[in-house]
Amino acid sequence: MCDSDTAIEKGVITKAAEALRRGDLVAFPTETVYGLGADARNEDAVRRIFQVKGRPSSNPLIVHVASTSEIFRYADLSRSFAPKLLRARLEKLSPLWPGPLSVVLPRGQEIADAVSGGGTTVALRIPNHPLALALLRKFDGPVAAPSANISEYVSPTTAEHVRSGLGSKIACVLDGGPCSVGLESTVLSLIEETPLILRPGAITKDQLQATLETEVLRAPFAATESALKLSPGLLAKHYSPSTPVCFESALTELSPAPKKIGAIIFQPRELAFQATQIRLLSQHGHLEEVAMHLFAALRELDQMALDLIVVDTCEPIGLGEAIMDRLLRATK
Ligand code: TXA
Ligand code: MG
């Protein structure tokens, strides 16, 4: 294991970069969730990511780089519907990097086919985390990394989450403490003329519209065939703990009534039902804190042999859109 709080000083980053160069997998922290990384140019290493996660090979991976110039390098803008417009859009988006935004672009030739899940596009992002950036700079290449969890389980927001799910299968887990954002990045497709949000995240639709100075659409939630073609990650069921999850409004419909209930609440409040475990995500209902602590709370309650997890809701606006997207998937 390469885990250490002082990874940069201890030369652990150097070891992790060497592991990537050998074609091994390295788990590393980002500001959103922990990623399971491999050299995005190495077909075999990328295939191993799919094996270790149990992920369908048709579900494409996000490629992490350290700079905007590498986004231009690993995409092929010449294959776009309008290369000049796309370049201008990427330049407008660049103040949002490093940050929780992935953009889907025509794939450049250096990126392994397996990254794209059978398609011809690639999602790229610059993560905003000192360890991730140190690793990417040391490695000096593109790193394909999905969330470092078993496919369809809740994404990991601590190194311990990664170890509990995948620990025995990967050589190296860099420990950067808990992730500060806590929800996966916004995925924005720039393939068509109208930019399309495939997955909401901490970079919101309003922010993207203001930055791009153009209309941005949101892909439909349900796993319709057309939505799945756009991005297999839009599968309705996703991010689910093993324990059933529901909203309070659905509680009365359940028969027989669940005995052991865990409650996840967004701010201090009275509960209208009996809960054996309560997790409070924010003292003042701040959505940034809710997002940061949500996955850890779901994982923790999932370990407690409960019959049900009941979770609060919020307005699906701004960051609330991403929170509700993940929760709706967890309740499926
Ligand atoms: O915050 C994040 O994005 C984290 C960290 C590690 O960077 N990564 C992450 O990766 O959440 P993953 O694989 O769990 O989710 C990637 C999402 C999936 O929904 C996938 O379908 C979509 O991005 N995606 C990736 N490449 C795509 C492409 N070329 N076209 C359409 N969707 C793509
Ligand atoms: Mg994932």
Side-chain angles (χ1 to χ4, degrees), residues 81-101:
F81 70 97
K84 265 196 185 158
L85 175 66
L86 189 49
R87 176 167 286 274
R89 284 183 172 171
L90 289 170
E91 269 155 18
K92 281 185 180 169
L93 289 174
S94 65
L96 300 179
W97 286 308
L101 172 68

Side-chain angles (χ1 to χ4, degrees), residues 18-42:
E18 280 164 8
L20 288 174
R21 249 172 246 131
R22 280 197 304 272
D24 286 344
L25 306 188
V26 171
F28 61 96
T30 81
E31 80 281 33
T32 58
V33 301
Y34 275 69
L36 178 61
D39 183 347
R41 299 159 300 192
N42 181 333

Side-chain angles (χ1 to χ4, degrees), residues 134-153:
L135 176 65
L136 289 166
R137 290 194 187 111
K138 192 78 185 172
F139 176 58
D140 195 22
V143 173
S147 49
N149 52 281
I150 298 286
S151 189
E152 295 199 354
Y153 196 63

Side-chain angles (χ1 to χ4, degrees), residues 30 32-35 55 59-62 64 102 104 121-123 125 145-147 184-185 187 198-199 230-234:
T30 81
T32 58
V33 301
Y34 275 69
R55 177 176 175 122
N59 191 356
L61 307 178
I62 293 174
H64 298 67
S102 302
V104 178
T121 59
V122 63
R125 91 173 185 101
S147 49
E184 305 86 348
S185 62
V187 179
L198 300 177
R199 179 177 71 185
L230 286 169
S231 184
L234 294 175

Side-chain angles (χ1 to χ4, degrees), residues 36-302:
L36 178 61
D39 183 347
R41 299 159 300 192
N42 181 333
E43 208 73 57
D44 289 340
V46 172
R47 276 206 215 98
R48 212 162 309 127
I49 291 181
F50 289 96
Q51 278 166 15
V52 164
K53 274 183 65 89
R55 177 176 175 122
S57 61
S58 58
N59 191 356
L61 307 178
I62 293 174
V63 173
H64 298 67
V65 293
S67 65
T68 318
S69 63
E70 287 170 279
I71 290 190
F72 286 104
R73 171 169 173 181
Y74 295 113
D76 179 0
L77 300 198
S78 74
R79 289 199 297 108
S80 153
F81 70 97
K84 265 196 185 158
L85 175 66
L86 189 49
R87 176 167 286 274
R89 284 183 172 171
L90 289 170
E91 269 155 18
K92 281 185 180 169
L93 289 174
S94 65
L96 300 179
W97 286 308
L101 172 68
S102 302
V103 285
V104 178
L105 300 167
R107 191 185 71 219
Q109 57 178 9
E110 289 175 84
I111 300 295
D113 281 353
V115 166
S116 302
T120 57
T121 59
V122 63
L124 286 150
R125 91 173 185 101
I126 308 171
N128 188 15
H129 192 288
L131 278 189
L133 289 169
L135 176 65
L136 289 166
R137 290 194 187 111
K138 192 78 185 172
F139 176 58
D140 195 22
V143 173
S147 49
N149 52 281
I150 298 286
S151 189
E152 295 199 354
Y153 196 63
V154 182
S155 292
T157 52
T158 66
E160 189 44 45
H161 294 162
V162 179
R163 282 186 219 112
S164 71
L166 300 174
S168 59
K169 298 182 182 170
I170 43 181
C172 181
V173 181
L174 293 178
D175 191 342
C179 300
S180 58
V181 173
L183 297 179
E184 305 86 348
S185 62
T186 305
V187 179
L188 178 71
S189 172
L190 297 174
I191 294 296
E192 306 283 342
E193 185 160 359
T194 307
L196 181 67
I197 296 174
L198 300 177
R199 179 177 71 185
I203 301 286
T204 64
K205 180 174 163 177
D206 282 353
Q207 231 176 323
L208 290 170
Q209 291 193 143
T211 309
L212 286 168
E213 299 172 291
T214 191
E215 187 190 18
V216 172
L217 295 177
R218 168 84 171 86
F221 172 77
T224 56
E225 210 152 294
S226 57
L228 282 179
K229 261 188 206 138
L230 286 169
S231 184
L234 294 175
L235 263 158
K237 187 175 162 59
H238 212 64
Y239 315 105
S240 311
S242 314
T243 313
V245 179
C246 82
F247 299 122
E248 193 171 348
S249 56
L251 247 186
T252 50
E253 295 159 24
L254 298 177
S255 157
K259 289 203 182 89
K260 284 188 287 169
I261 300 179
I264 296 180
I265 54 176
F266 293 177
Q267 57 190 315
R269 69 177 183 92
E270 295 290 316
L271 289 181
F273 57 92
Q274 285 285 332
T276 52
Q277 292 286 336
I278 300 175
R279 293 295 174 276
L280 169 65
L281 302 190
S282 170
Q283 276 302 334
H284 301 286
H286 293 155
L287 292 186
E288 288 76 13
E289 288 173 349
V290 170
M292 182 178 174
H293 301 301
L294 180 62
F295 288 169
L298 283 170
R299 281 175 171 262
E300 209 187 319
L301 292 183
D302 202 22

